[in-house]
Every structure is written in structure tokens, then in C-alpha cells.
Amino acid sequence: MPEYRGVMVHAEVAEGKLAAIATELLGCGRRLADELGEELSAVIAGGGVSGLAREAFAFGADKVYIVDDVLLKDYQTDAHVTVMEKVVRQVMPRILLIGQTSIGRDLAPRLAFRLETTATMDCIELAIDPGSKLLLRTKPVFGGNARAVYTSELNPQIATVRTKAMTPLAPDTSRKGEVVTVEAGLAPSIIRTRILEKVKQEVEGISLEAADVVISGGRGIGSAEGFEQLEELAGLLKGAVGASRPPCDNSWVPDVLQVGLTGKIVAPDLYIAVALSGSSQHMAGCSGCKNIVAINKDPEANIFREARFGVVGDWKKVLPALTAKVRELLAE
Ligand SMILES: Cc1cc2nc3c(=O)[nH]c(=O)nc-3n(C[C@H](O)[C@H](O)[C@H](O)COP(=O)(O)OP(=O)(O)OC[C@H]3O[C@@H](n4cnc5c(N)ncnc54)[C@H](O)[C@@H]3O)c2cc1C
């Protein structure tokens, strides 16, 4: 009987290149594949994607399955789930990694259902259990207040991984691998929905999810004008501005800046939380940040339990002083 072997990454494509999440999954997949002593493969499904295999090799893949078909040009559930099912049944990977993105959230559970296995969503750490070789999947639970580790004996072992939770390898363009072309074989009739139009949301500066530094403001900021001061610091640190829910509800900032359970999930190197209390719903969106710095006038605020560094004080005094110091240090 054929065995499930190897680690496979579903490599998303964005604007004609591998998406950042694909390079992150390849970095993590490489480590898991090496621990298992097995192969790392990537599936690139799309329209006009044949040239992307080289990128996947550079980021760590040993083998790339290319499914190039005009019907796969935009992500469309019926087509992409069908194609992924076909490739996975053919290759039988032990582990399948998918991004916790809007595409991955749609794809992973449907694929798991078709393959009669499980998918653990929104993982932030992955490891191999040395004894059983099962994938240990760590994910935040209870609104980010705790972490749980899941395993499943069903193959393939599917996990979706939060953006920025894993680090890509430094690309090595001299790395080579094997390209396998898979025919999509899609009948247009299986596709039940049509994309009529794509509207791209314009983001000024760096997007929240991509930023290495995020400065988030809460209810205590008090106004849209207050957020201009956060923007000033974000500009100096080449970061992005985020917010808790009240500033979005009060239209001080656009809704798209909300971080949390019902907002964006961010994992920058530095998260400066200004005048927000650190509710569990907010922390659900930023618990993966490497360093949290809190500015709050209430020493009992929950955010201080989550923060690496904290300043107790009125943000209207602390933030201008911090901004001036950053400006001074950058000028040196
Ligand atoms: C189903 C559900 C989903 C939700 N999803 C989200 C979500 O995705 N994201 C989210 O953020 N919230 C979410 N919420 C709301 C969440 O429960 C909290 O109400 C919200 O996060 C609180 O925002 P805050 O910390 O800005 O406000 P508050 O909790 O009111 O805290 C304001 C803080 O500012 C401090 N402060 C006030 N003035 C100053 C000053 N001058 N200087 C310094 N500090 C000052 C105060 O000490 C206080 O700690 C959700 C709630 C529900 C029920």
C-alpha cells in the first residue's frame, strides 16, 4: 500500500510572484521535511504560473507541481479545491501546509473534507513529534488567551499557518529541483461562480499585515486627530498604524485598521499599543507579535501583562517624547 510521505506546501501566487505566505510556508516546510528526512514539495496552481517553480526552489522546495490553466487564473473555490484534491491524491504527502489567508481559509476545510482528514486552522507553531512523526500544531485558543497543541492521526495532516508566524529561508537562486506538470483537467461546468470584478483596496504606505512595526491606538486616543500623532511615529519607523475596535466604530480611522478577533491578525517585530486596554479580542490579533510595548495611564491595564516593555502615563505626554527621541536617534 502506498505510504503518505513528505511535506507539501500550497504556494499562493500574488501579482505574478509567490506570495509572502508561500515563502514563509516553504521555510517552515523545509525544517519539517528535514526533521522527517523527507521531501519538500510545493503546488503552484494558477494561470501563467509555469515560471514560478524557480522561486519555489530558491525558497527551499525540492519538487514543484505546476498546474497551469486559464480556469485557475483567479482563486475560485470549485476549481482550486478540485485541482488540489487531484494533486494531493496523486502525491500523498504526509503533511500539507496552507496559508491562513482568505484563500487558505476557504480551501483547507473543503479539501480536508474531500480527503476525509482534518485541518487545524490558524497555527502559529509546528513541530514533529519524534516518536509518532505526527505534526504538532500549536494555535491560539480562547480569543488568544491560551495556546493549544493539536495532533491528528489522519493523513494528510493539514494545517493552515498564520501569516508572519514562520520565517522564510534566505533565497538561494542556485538551488535546483524537479518540476512536475499536472494537467488541471477541469470541466468549466464544475465552476459554479464567476468573478465579475476585482476592486483593489488602496492602502497608503505599508499594509498592516506586511509591516514590521505597527503602532496601534485605542479608545484612549480620543479622536481622529490623535491618530495623526501615531501616523507620525509610524512614518519615522517605516511602520503602519492599527487600532482597537472603538476607534474604528467611532470612525476615527477606517475599519480596515482594526486588529483583533474580528479584524486583522498582525505579527510584526514591534507592536506599540497606545491607550488600549489589551482585551482578549484585541490580543487575538496581535498575540504573535515579537515585542509589545504598551503606553497606558492605568497600571492595571491588561496590556501590561502582554507587553515586554510598558510606560504608565498619559499618551499625550509619552508619545511626543518617544517620537522626538526616535527622530533624534534616526538623525544620528
Ligand atoms: C465578538 C467581539 C469581537 C470583538 N473584536 C474585536 C477586535 O477584533 N478588536 C478589538 O480591538 N476589539 C474587539 N472587540 C471589542 C473588545 O471587547 C474591547 O471592547 C476593545 O478591544 C476595547 O478597545 P480599547 O482597548 O481601545 O478600549 P478600552 O478597553 O476602553 O481601553 C482604553 C484604554 O485606554 C487607556 N487610556 C485612556 N486615556 C488614556 C490616556 N490619555 N493615556 C493613556 N492611556 C489612556 C485606558 O486606561 C484604557 O486601558 C470585540 C468584542 C466582541 C464582543
Side-chain angles (χ1 to χ4, degrees):
M1 199 150 135
E3 244 189 291
Y4 285 91
R5 278 186 70 78
V7 179
M8 177 180 274
V9 162
H10 171 256
E12 278 183 40
V13 176
E15 295 175 359
K17 293 200 313 190
L18 286 192
I21 183 68
T23 64
E24 291 162 22
L25 294 181
L26 284 167
C28 165
R30 183 70 269 162
R31 174 175 57 80
L32 299 175
D34 289 345
E35 266 178 57
L36 289 163
E38 296 178 6
E39 189 176 70
L40 173 64
S41 63
V43 185
I44 308 180
V49 292
S50 301
L52 297 181
R54 241 178 292 143
E55 261 189 73
F57 296 137
F59 281 100
D62 300 312
K63 198 184 257 187
V64 174
Y65 295 89
I66 293 281
V67 200
D68 201 335
D69 190 301
V70 67
L71 292 175
L72 296 167
K73 191 166 174 296
D74 293 307
Y75 179 79
Q76 199 284 335
T77 307
D78 297 314
H80 280 256
V81 174
T82 302
V83 156
M84 278 304 292
E85 182 188 1
K86 179 174 177 177
V87 178
V88 173
R89 284 196 189 280
Q90 189 177 312
V91 180
M92 297 181 63
R94 184 192 296 274
I95 292 170
L96 173 61
L97 305 181
I98 297 175
Q100 174 74 9
T101 59
S102 51
I103 289 177
R105 282 200 293 250
D106 184 77
L107 176 71
R110 288 178 163 83
L111 191 58
F113 176 77
R114 287 202 191 182
L115 296 166
E116 296 182 59
T117 181
T118 58
T120 310
M121 308 295 287
D122 197 22
C123 298
I124 53 170
E125 275 174 32
L126 295 173
I128 303 289
D129 178 62
S132 63
K133 289 196 173 179
L134 288 178
L135 181 66
L136 303 174
R137 316 144 191 210
T138 305
K139 59 173 282 177
V141 290
F142 301 118
N145 284 326
R147 289 176 174 201
V149 182
Y150 292 81
T151 56
S152 164
E153 289 181 353
L154 296 174
N155 284 312
Q157 302 174 62
I158 304 180
T160 68
V161 180
R162 200 178 266 202
T163 50
K164 289 206 157 220
M166 306 291 167
T167 312
L169 298 176
D172 173 358
T173 48
S174 67
R175 278 191 98 257
K176 302 244 176 321
E178 186 188 346
V179 179
V180 180
T181 306
V182 180
E183 284 304 315
L186 289 167
S189 57
I190 68 150
I191 301 175
R192 292 168 296 177
T193 56
R194 224 161 22 108
I195 294 170
L196 298 180
E197 188 190 4
K198 283 210 261 181
V199 182
K200 202 169 168 192
Q201 187 172 31
E202 295 301 331
V203 182
E204 268 181 44
I206 304 161
S207 78
L208 251 185
E209 293 101 320
D212 291 329
V213 178
V214 172
I215 327 277
S216 269
R219 194 197 307 271
I221 298 294
S223 65
E225 291 72 44
F227 270 86
E228 287 169 12
Q229 295 194 43
L230 275 67
E231 273 158 27
E232 190 185 340
L233 181 58
L236 285 175
L237 294 172
K238 299 194 171 38
V241 169
S244 62
R245 189 153 107 178
C248 302
D249 287 350
N250 290 321
S251 302
W252 302 338
V253 293
D255 289 346
V256 287
L257 296 195
Q258 183 177 319
V259 171
L261 194 62
T262 43
K264 299 261 164 66
I265 291 175
V266 298
D269 295 335
L270 174 62
Y271 190 78
I272 306 183
V274 189
L276 60 82
S277 59
S279 66
S280 60
Q281 292 87 358
H282 184 77
M283 297 317 297
C286 58
S287 56
C289 298
K290 320 271 179 310
N291 298 288
I292 297 180
V293 175
I295 301 171
N296 197 302
K297 67 178 184 184
D298 175 8
E300 299 300 320
N302 184 59
I303 191 68
F304 288 124
R305 278 181 210 110
E306 311 281 348
R308 182 147 184 210
F309 302 102
V311 183
V312 178
D314 186 336
W315 74 269
K316 290 184 192 130
K317 291 192 186 130
V318 178
L319 198 69
L322 177 63
T323 306
K325 190 70 194 173
V326 169
R327 200 185 294 283
E328 188 188 308
L329 290 171
L330 289 173
E332 275 175 12

